[in-house]
Amino acid sequence: MSEAKATTNFIRQIVDRDLAEGKNDGRVVTRFPPEPNGYLHIGHAKSICLNFGIASAYQGQCHLRFDDTNPEKEDDEYIQAIQDDVTWLGFEWSGPVRFASGYFDRLYDYAVALIRQGLAYVDTQSPEQIAEMRGNFTTPGRHSPHRDRDVDENLALFEKMRDGGFDEGAAVLRAKIDMANPNLTLRDPILYRIRKKAHHQTGDKWVIYPMYDFTHPLSDAIEGITHSLCTLEFEEHRPLYDWLVEHAAIEAKPRQYEFSRLNLNFTVTSKRRLKLLVDEGHVNGWDDPRMPTLAGLRRRGYTPAAIRNFCESVGVSRADSVIDMSLLEEAVRDDLNQHAPRAFCVINPLKLVIENWPQDHEESLEVPQHPQDESMGTRRMPITREVFIDQDDFREEANKKYKRLVLGDRVRLRYGYVVRAHDVVRDDQGEIIEIRCSYDPDTLGKNPENDEGQGKLRGVIHWVSAVHGVPCEVRQYDRLFQVANPAKVPEGGHFLDTLNPDSLRVLSRCLVEPALANAEPGSRFQFEREGYFCVDQDSDAQRRVFNRVVGLRESWPREA
Ligand code: ATP
Ligand code: MG
């Protein structure tokens, strides 16, 4: 499958309509606004592909803006990792990397402007009182006793907040909207709170920090964003978004549109949960190949094209759904099937001795890198008297359905000769440790299938020279969780209870063909008959490590 062609979606239809109506002077400006409090996951990829995809489809711009209003949970490590991930996915943001914190001065001025218009006030009730008086879905909120402070008093108090004159929690700035509104976000939402914490971008300059709901619309307006695309949970916040854009008196009028989140089964897509997996050591870091983070998928061997194709295939709508993990796996399988060179790797080696092969004789076979794509060229594969095949490819006895090597019968060593197994050698425990066979020198590149009296060839198996094979470690991954929806655990349970204890299997006695001895970390191959694999960054001169990206075909039942 080549890169999926972008199909239309309701957001594109909105943009088309806006352009047709001449809105925003024909500009299309979107943004991807991560909070730097964790690594990006596959859900974010959907948002990235949508935002950057819209911008590029309409010759517009997409900004990368860190929504960094929460000094406690944010970290420079995340800021770097997020940029790396966006770049890796194949997107380029317009202009510099932007930070909501870069607008703190202007946001402060907008807050002051709201106070001056009588649209914001400083509330010095305790956080508990404020929460209690907010009401709930059935009960309207009640007015704070400080709601009608006059403008000058509010200005003075807000300045005092800014200058550190209050303790944390002793005062907040609130918008004055409507305490009885059925939409709770409009019940005099908090715009600023006090946090006496240094910020990764602004250091000690501020002890008050703007809330996300205040920062986001105004940052969009400051940047001239035309279409602010976010996930459905922000739908309720849209009236506040519009209220702020309206009253902050900024010329640009961005509009917010919501689409449904990407949910994937057998994993979690929440930074909070992913961080817990990392912090408690259930996985080996944010880039553990079992993680649904972009860093994890990259290390696992996923390609940017596979992830982009996947995002395109799931589409953009307002309907909530859970996507089957097998769709993501299918996307990478498609891409690697087309682009990954082939190689031989024996996962569970069993020695095969070709008795009639001269003792030190060696041949170098020229074999294609990709059987369907000649342009990828060829590689050399040495064959020697002793080779290794996979334990699963040999049985002493088997019926006709078994298309591999059986005692007394023949198979072809892929790209090499036809061999017939005669005998086995056992260790003290009776385990087979060696197969003795003979080869037919006349079968290289020739099919002996119809030779009289020989019987049909059972099949073709892969192999690696015992002399030249390179020892390696193979890491086979299974799903991180045992259940389709780990987030939905029964009463009293925890999502960690549903972790799959066998999600990682390390096989350390594998042998790969010598052409891969120096394969670079990150390079990907199809190990014939085994699956798709990627060289892990843990590899060094002593030890090659391969991650299994995905098997050759789907191995899990579909389940929603
Ligand atoms: P999480 O729930 O994992 O903490 P978040 O929404 O808090 O995610 P942000 O950094 O705020 O993470 O997200 C940046 C952007 O990515 C937002 O516009 C958000 O709507 C979008 N996004 C986050 N998760 C998903 C998802 N699962 N599917 C689609 N878009 C998402
Ligand atoms: Mg968020």
Side-chain angles (χ1 to χ4, degrees):
M1 187 170 88
S2 61
E3 186 108 355
K5 206 169 158 293
T7 42
T8 191
N9 57 50
F10 81 99
I11 304 276
R12 284 180 180 237
Q13 288 162 5
I14 289 167
V15 176
D16 286 334
R17 189 197 63 203
D18 289 350
L19 289 175
E21 291 174 3
K23 281 200 187 143
N24 307 308
D25 305 322
R27 287 175 313 117
V28 176
V29 188
T30 58
R31 83 289 167 270
F32 174 62
E35 183 180 357
N37 61 349
Y39 279 58
L40 298 181
H41 53 63
I42 186 72
H44 293 111
K46 174 174 174 176
S47 176
I48 294 170
C49 290
L50 176 63
N51 279 294
F52 283 89
I54 292 273
S56 93
Y58 294 91
Q59 287 82 49
Q61 300 188 343
C62 182
H63 297 177
L64 173 63
R65 174 169 82 234
F66 287 102
D67 242 316
D68 56 346
T69 53
N70 186 352
E72 273 115 294
K73 293 186 185 156
E74 297 169 359
D75 199 314
D76 281 333
E77 178 195 347
Y78 302 139
I79 291 178
Q80 192 53 51
I82 288 169
Q83 293 178 55
D84 293 347
D85 286 347
V86 172
T87 305
W88 176 74
L89 259 190
F91 297 107
E92 224 177 297
W93 50 88
S94 297
V97 173
R98 293 157 219 255
F99 293 88
S101 57
Y103 308 135
F104 280 176
D105 286 315
R106 291 174 73 176
L107 293 171
Y108 181 83
D109 293 342
Y110 289 128
V112 168
L114 288 176
I115 296 174
R116 285 192 200 286
Q117 296 174 73
L119 294 174
Y121 61 97
V122 172
D123 198 343
T124 42
Q125 297 184 97
S126 71
E128 295 75 27
Q129 278 169 322
I130 292 176
E132 200 268 317
M133 290 177 67
R134 196 166 173 242
N136 54 37
F137 287 111
T138 48
T139 324
R142 281 171 290 141
H143 284 187
S144 161
H146 308 134
R147 198 171 195 260
D148 294 315
R149 286 196 216 270
D150 67 39
V151 168
D152 287 338
E153 194 186 354
N154 277 318
L155 288 173
L157 287 171
F158 190 44
E159 221 167 90
K160 186 174 165 190
M161 280 173 67
R162 182 196 63 189
D163 295 340
F166 286 105
D167 289 338
E168 280 191 17
V172 290
L173 182 73
R174 299 177 73 177
K176 193 170 173 178
I177 308 182
D178 177 7
M179 286 307 288
N181 201 294
N183 182 339
L184 269 72
T185 49
L186 292 178
R187 293 187 187 172
D188 291 9
I190 294 173
L191 305 182
Y192 266 91
R193 68 209 160 124
I194 298 165
R195 280 282 177 282
K196 298 197 168 171
K197 296 260 163 38
H199 185 281
H200 50 96
Q201 301 299 311
T202 56
D204 292 327
K205 179 169 175 190
W206 296 93
V207 294
I208 55 171
Y209 289 96
M211 301 299 286
Y212 174 87
D213 273 348
F214 177 70
T215 310
H216 198 82
L218 299 185
S219 302
D220 282 348
I222 289 168
E223 292 182 6
I225 301 299
T226 55
H227 299 80
S228 181
L229 313 177
C230 62
T231 33
L232 274 175
E233 69 269 23
F234 292 102
E235 185 171 17
E236 280 221 327
H237 302 232
R238 182 163 15 110
L240 176 56
Y241 184 103
D242 291 341
W243 187 92
L244 285 163
V245 166
E246 184 62 33
H247 291 97
I250 307 177
E251 206 186 318
K253 299 279 183 263
R255 290 287 311 269
Q256 171 179 307
Y257 300 95
E258 308 88 19
F259 62 96
S260 59
R261 294 176 75 87
L262 172 72
N263 302 303
L264 203 56
N265 63 9
F266 292 101
T267 192
V268 292
T269 44
S270 135
K271 279 185 280 191
R272 189 176 52 79
R273 292 205 173 94
L274 294 172
K275 187 168 186 315
L276 197 68
L277 291 173
V278 174
D279 289 347
E280 292 193 355
H282 301 290
V283 294
N284 303 313
W286 286 98
D287 69 345
D288 186 300
R290 291 167 293 181
M291 291 279 271
T293 51
L294 296 183
L297 291 166
R298 170 166 67 236
R299 185 165 174 188
R300 173 85 165 249
Y302 272 75
T303 59
I307 294 176
R308 292 195 304 265
N309 288 343
F310 167 74
C311 290
E312 187 61 40
S313 72
V314 301
V316 179
S317 78
R318 288 175 56 87
D320 263 322
S321 67
V322 180
I323 303 296
D324 202 289
M325 177 70 97
S326 60
L327 218 65
L328 180 62
E329 294 171 346
E330 196 53 38
V332 73
R333 197 178 282 126
D334 272 354
D335 189 37
L336 294 181
N337 181 34
Q338 207 181 134
H339 298 115
R342 275 36 178 174
F344 286 178
C345 178
V346 175
I347 307 273
N348 295 301
L350 174 60
K351 191 182 273 184
L352 182 82
V353 180
I354 309 170
E355 290 181 316
N356 60 336
W357 185 283
Q359 200 65 41
D360 292 319
H361 178 62
E362 277 191 32
E363 289 180 24
S364 170
L365 307 171
E366 187 179 11
V367 310
Q369 292 281 41
H370 192 300
Q372 282 90 44
D373 184 354
E374 267 182 32
S375 74
M376 291 176 75
T378 60
R379 64 190 198 271
R380 288 274 165 190
M381 191 139 61
I383 181 162
T384 47
R385 186 168 189 270
E386 296 189 350
V387 301
F388 282 99
I389 65 168
D390 202 284
Q391 281 169 20
D392 285 344
D393 283 338
F394 175 74
R395 283 190 199 163
E396 287 177 271
E397 284 172 57
N399 65 23
K400 288 279 176 253
K401 285 194 192 128
Y402 185 74
K403 303 290 182 205
R404 311 170 187 195
L405 187 59
V406 175
L407 211 51
D409 226 334
R410 299 180 308 161
V411 291
R412 179 182 293 282
L413 298 178
R414 174 117 159 118
Y415 297 126
Y417 297 92
V418 170
V419 295
R420 181 190 295 279
H422 297 298
D423 207 356
V424 294
V425 178
R426 294 174 196 275
D427 64 10
D428 297 343
Q429 281 79 49
E431 291 289 324
I432 297 173
I433 51 167
E434 202 174 290
I435 308 163
R436 313 292 291 193
C437 71
S438 62
Y439 84 118
D440 178 349
D442 203 30
T443 51
L444 191 65
K446 278 190 244 161
N447 204 341
E449 211 153 300
N450 303 320
D451 290 0
E452 251 170 70
Q454 299 262 12
K456 234 169 127 56
L457 268 192
R458 278 209 180 235
V460 182
I461 63 175
H462 65 283
W463 52 277
V464 170
S465 156
V467 182
H468 300 285
V470 180
C472 66
E473 175 178 310
V474 164
R475 297 179 183 167
Q476 291 182 341
Y477 302 101
D478 204 336
R479 295 185 175 173
L480 190 49
F481 291 91
Q482 291 172 302
V483 298
N485 186 357
K488 195 175 142 205
V489 282
E491 204 39 48
H494 195 272
F495 83 100
L496 291 172
D497 303 339
T498 66
L499 274 168
N500 176 4
D502 300 315
S503 57
L504 169 63
R505 202 166 145 228
V506 178
L507 296 139
S508 49
R509 297 184 47 250
C510 314
L511 274 182
V512 71
E513 64 169 272
L516 270 57
N518 298 309
E520 288 291 323
S523 43
R524 308 169 182 97
F525 303 89
Q526 184 199 84
F527 288 169
E528 291 202 25
R529 304 176 65 233
E530 294 290 354
Y532 296 95
F533 292 79
C534 177
V535 183
D536 190 78
Q537 65 201 38
D538 284 348
S539 297
D540 56 33
Q542 277 71 50
R543 185 178 61 144
R544 299 270 101 199
V545 179
F546 291 91
N547 296 317
R548 186 173 67 184
V549 189
V550 67
L552 289 178
R553 54 193 78 76
E554 189 180 328
S555 55
W556 277 67
R558 277 186 192 259
E559 192 181 347

